[in-house]
Amino acid sequence: MSEYLLEMKNITKTFPGVKALDNVQLNVRAGTVHALMGENGAGKSTLMKCLFGIYKPDGGEIILNGQKVNIRSAKDAMDHGIAMVHQELHPIRFRSVMENVWLGRFPGHFGVVDHKAMYDETKKLFADLELDVDPSAMAGEQSAAILQMMEIARAVSINAKIIILDEPTSSLSDREVEHLFKIINRLRAQGVAFIYISHKMKEILEISDEVSIMRDGTYVGTWPVVDESTGLKLTIDFIIKQMVGREMTNQFPEREGKPSDEVVLKVEHLSSPLKRSFQDVSFELHRGEILGIGGLVGAQRTEFVEALFGLRGIESGEVHKDEKIYKARSPRDAKAHGFALLTEERRATGIFGILPILENTVIANQKNYASLGILNDKKRAEDAASSCKDLNVKAPSLSTLIQNLSGGNQQKVLIARWLLTNSDILILDEPTRGIDVGAKYEIYNIMLGQIKQGRSIIMISSEMPELMGMSDRIMVMCEGRVTGFLNKGEYTQEKIMALATQFAGRDINNKNSAA
């Protein structure tokens, strides 16, 4: 009997122009959390799609409980006790939570769904997962954390023995992460194995038993988080070195020069018509500056920058761009005034997944390629190729569908899109979410290159090291309000967190609430 619940041996997979997997190995024990790590494009997602039946491997074998299996589809994978919770959650939003959990397996007889049985079974599942959600509530009304737990409940309902979690905490608060880890530990104790994909190093070392690392479609190695024979623990520096194949002595590139004194954007007392959204926001942005915006989930940071970009309404306040009053009634207005917005959720609101890299790169600049209603395809292709080359986008060709790229390369294409518009204020909302350390470093270099050219950046980041490592100044928000500014050299995690929680738990819109 094998010591492993799952063995993936010599898995290979080739796509046109690229060998995605080259004799990759993965061995997972029952009742463990096995982290799978590597840079974007290393082949992690491709390997998991081979395991889950989305892709058919060109070679190699998959062994479950000592038996060789042929997994031909996602349904086949689930029948074998394998479940996958994807990074981008796509529930059927206008159906109930319980219908999403039991999709394709509705309880009933002779084609008639037994809604009471489905409700009761879902309620029992949720009770076991300590999830306080009405099974009949609409899925589209739930938070990212609830939707993720809904997917885990679905996995539990099929008696999954292997659950793949792809970037499970990218949209969760610290409290939600704590609850997720509690559920993982409970299921681990019952013999369930987790394959855990994440770029959050501290999180990996906290929850995992073993770590396997891939690089450029190949298997690098597997290490225990704690070596039982020596007591030595795996380190972040060691993991990074194995991922990128080299030492990375600095997490952030060196900043050259300082922002100028010239004010390119002045925001005065900007407020949303929604009382629970941003209120009375004021700040200045200087040429060549990276202004970081810190805060916790619910701080209304994204809502505020979307209003600057014309995606949300503004009830009061003024915005001055280059000493002139600026009013964005739409994103088209914002673009015309030199604003660019890299959105928080690249798959939902950034990329056009079914379009190639070429179209995704030039789409925001389309009017500049048109003459008498005819597009200059040669110029479009030249600009897209040049911009993607400058940003080191790794892809077989410009005709490759963007949905087939790694997260880091998708993000670089989106940045290339906005750089082609020659915008002078770049708003970057979580610019490195869900991408690896190597791709992060490249994006940081791109950012520094832009401010060196005189552009200014507003960056929202929920990663404290990134916020502190890349910002010239940090503006902190809590419950829609600005709670303070910190200059480079004076901010610490403690100071930022104190400002980010200044109004936590208080109704600041109620004049009778405690001060």
Side-chain angles (χ1 to χ4, degrees), residues 263-271 278 281-285 304-305 307-310 314 316-328 337 339 425 427 458:
V263 175
V264 295
L265 184 71
K266 187 173 184 178
V267 175
E268 296 180 306
H269 309 294
L270 214 63
S271 294
F278 61 90
V281 175
S282 299
F283 68 90
E284 292 181 348
L285 178 68
F304 167 66
V305 296
L308 275 184
F309 197 67
I314 295 172
S316 61
E318 283 189 345
V319 180
H320 296 259
K321 168 86 180 345
D322 297 323
E323 299 185 344
K324 296 178 182 177
I325 289 181
Y326 157 76
K327 291 183 179 179
H337 284 85
F339 285 82
I425 294 181
I427 304 171
I458 298 173

Side-chain angles (χ1 to χ4, degrees), residues 121 162 244 328 375 377:
E121 285 295 320
I162 298 172
V244 302
L375 286 175
D377 286 334

Side-chain angles (χ1 to χ4, degrees), residues 9-38:
K9 297 182 176 181
N10 302 317
I11 303 296
T12 62
K13 181 64 182 176
T14 302
F15 298 104
V18 60
K19 192 164 191 176
L21 298 175
D22 186 4
N23 291 306
V24 174
Q25 324 291 320
L26 183 67
N27 298 317
V28 179
R29 293 179 172 85
T32 65
V33 176
H34 195 112
L36 181 59
M37 303 190 71

Side-chain angles (χ1 to χ4, degrees), residues 378-411:
K378 182 181 178 183
K379 178 63 173 169
R380 291 165 79 239
E382 287 175 351
D383 282 1
S386 175
S387 191
C388 288
K389 182 180 178 182
D390 289 345
L391 271 61
N392 195 27
V393 175
K394 297 174 183 176
S397 73
L398 292 177
S399 61
T400 301
L401 296 184
I402 194 170
Q403 66 185 10
N404 293 333
L405 299 185
S406 66
N409 282 305
Q410 288 179 3
Q411 198 78 325

Side-chain angles (χ1 to χ4, degrees), residues 276-489:
R276 292 284 178 179
S277 190
F278 61 90
Q279 299 292 324
D280 196 29
V281 175
S282 299
F283 68 90
E284 292 181 348
L285 178 68
H286 298 88
R287 186 171 301 283
E289 179 182 30
I290 298 178
L291 175 67
I293 304 182
L296 303 177
V297 174
Q300 303 296 306
R301 297 170 297 168
T302 293
E303 290 77 3
F304 167 66
V305 296
E306 287 180 347
L308 275 184
F309 197 67
L311 286 167
R312 293 176 182 266
I314 295 172
E315 182 176 64
S316 61
E318 283 189 345
V319 180
H320 296 259
K321 168 86 180 345
D322 297 323
E323 299 185 344
K324 296 178 182 177
I325 289 181
Y326 157 76
K327 291 183 179 179
R329 297 176 180 85
S330 69
R332 181 174 293 179
D333 280 348
K335 280 173 54 186
H337 284 85
F339 285 82
L341 172 63
L342 185 74
T343 57
E344 179 181 14
E345 300 291 347
R346 63 175 168 269
R347 287 188 181 272
T349 56
I351 68 169
F352 295 90
I354 60 172
L355 294 180
I357 296 170
L358 170 61
E359 301 297 341
N360 273 276
T361 306
V362 301
I363 199 162
N365 204 38
Q366 203 78 297
K367 68 176 184 179
N368 292 327
Y369 302 114
S371 177
L372 301 176
I374 299 174
L375 286 175
N376 185 335
D377 286 334
K378 182 181 178 183
K379 178 63 173 169
R380 291 165 79 239
E382 287 175 351
D383 282 1
S386 175
S387 191
C388 288
K389 182 180 178 182
D390 289 345
L391 271 61
N392 195 27
V393 175
K394 297 174 183 176
S397 73
L398 292 177
S399 61
T400 301
L401 296 184
I402 194 170
Q403 66 185 10
N404 293 333
L405 299 185
S406 66
N409 282 305
Q410 288 179 3
Q411 198 78 325
K412 286 189 280 185
V413 170
L414 294 179
I415 294 173
R417 172 193 296 175
W418 288 113
L419 296 187
L420 280 176
T421 66
N422 289 317
S423 301
D424 57 354
I425 294 181
L426 307 177
I427 304 171
L428 309 179
D429 194 350
E430 304 288 0
T432 66
R433 171 174 286 175
I435 64 178
D436 62 81
V437 288
K440 282 184 178 184
Y441 197 85
E442 288 185 280
I443 287 176
Y444 297 152
N445 271 321
I446 292 166
M447 291 169 63
L448 294 183
Q450 295 309 304
I451 60 172
K452 197 172 181 180
Q453 294 177 34
R455 294 185 172 93
S456 304
I457 294 175
I458 298 173
M459 178 188 72
I460 294 175
S461 179
S462 297
E463 295 189 23
M464 196 76 78
E466 177 175 273
L467 191 67
M468 297 171 62
M470 290 301 296
S471 304
D472 295 302
R473 280 188 305 145
I474 297 174
M475 178 177 84
V476 186
M477 295 181 67
C478 178
E479 305 286 351
R481 309 267 178 160
V482 174
T483 51
F485 291 85
L486 297 168
N487 293 318
K488 198 172 190 72

Side-chain angles (χ1 to χ4, degrees), residues 158-209:
I158 66 167
N159 295 316
K161 289 301 178 185
I162 298 172
I163 301 177
I164 305 163
L165 298 178
D166 190 358
E167 295 289 350
T169 64
S170 62
S171 300
L172 303 187
S173 67
D174 289 345
R175 184 175 296 177
E176 290 165 341
V177 171
E178 187 179 331
H179 183 228
L180 174 64
F181 284 4
K182 184 178 181 181
I183 298 307
I184 289 174
N185 285 326
R186 179 181 299 175
L187 293 172
R188 171 164 55 182
Q190 296 172 13
V192 176
F194 288 86
I195 300 175
Y196 195 100
I197 300 174
S198 176
H199 294 300
K200 297 183 178 180
M201 303 286 184
K202 289 182 180 178
E203 185 178 286
I204 287 291
L205 296 178
E206 178 183 350
I207 195 65
S208 303
D209 299 292

